[in-house]
Amino acid sequence: QLQIVESGGGLVQPGGSLRLSCATSGLDLDRYAIGWFRQAPGKEREGVSCISSTDGSTYYSDAVKGRFSISRDNAKNTVYLQMNSLKPEDTANYYCAAGLMAYYCENFDMYSYDYWGRGTQVTVSS
C-alpha cells in the first residue's frame, strides 16, 4: 500500500530551523520525483523544492533558495526538507508529493504528481 507521510512541522521563531520528513512506502523512490509544496491560508498551493528522479538534481523556488535544502535517503525511503532562516511568510501547511512522470520537477506542476501526503503545519512566529 502506497503511503506518503509528512512530519517535523511545528512552531518556530523567525530565524529558526526545522527539518521536515517525507516518509514513503510502497513506491520505488528512485523512480519518482519528490516535491515539497506549501499552502498558506487563503493562498494557492505553491512549489517549494523538488528532487529529480532522473539524476537527483534539486530545485528551489526563489522564495526559499539559499535557505531550504532537500535531500533523499533511499535506504529509509525518506525525503527531507531542511528549512533554515525561517520567516513568518514561510508559515503554511507543507505537503510532500511523488510523481512518476514529473520529469521537469522544477516546473512545480502539481498535476505531474500522482501521490500526496496530508501535510504538516509549519508556523513561524515570535
Side-chain angles (χ1 to χ4, degrees):
Q1 183 178 359
L2 193 143
Q3 277 192 315
I4 295 178
V5 180
E6 304 94 335
S7 63
L11 174 64
V12 64
Q13 291 187 342
S17 297
L18 283 175
R19 188 177 78 157
L20 305 184
S21 297
C22 171
T24 71
S25 60
L27 62 82
D28 184 348
L29 206 55
D30 273 339
R31 298 179 60 203
Y32 285 79
I34 301 295
W36 282 98
F37 294 78
R38 67 186 182 186
Q39 188 167 18
K43 294 189 176 181
E44 292 186 353
R45 193 170 296 189
E46 63 175 355
V48 173
S49 180
C50 67
I51 187 163
S52 169
S53 61
T54 54
D55 60 2
S57 295
T58 58
Y59 301 92
Y60 303 91
S61 69
D62 288 342
V64 307
K65 198 173 295 182
R67 301 187 297 120
F68 290 12
S69 177
I70 190 171
S71 61
R72 183 174 66 192
D73 186 337
N74 286 355
K76 295 183 178 180
N77 292 319
T78 300
V79 174
Y80 302 98
L81 184 69
Q82 177 67 42
M83 306 188 298
N84 299 326
S85 302
L86 282 162
K87 305 174 181 180
E89 50 263 44
D90 294 320
T91 296
N93 203 14
Y94 282 71
Y95 299 89
C96 178
L100 187 61
M101 305 294 284
Y103 297 121
Y104 302 101
C105 74
E106 64 269 34
N107 292 337
F108 296 118
D109 178 4
M110 289 184 287
Y111 296 101
S112 297
Y113 290 84
D114 311 291
Y115 306 105
W116 291 79
R118 293 186 175 183
T120 184
Q121 177 67 36
V122 171
T123 302
V124 185
S125 175
S126 55

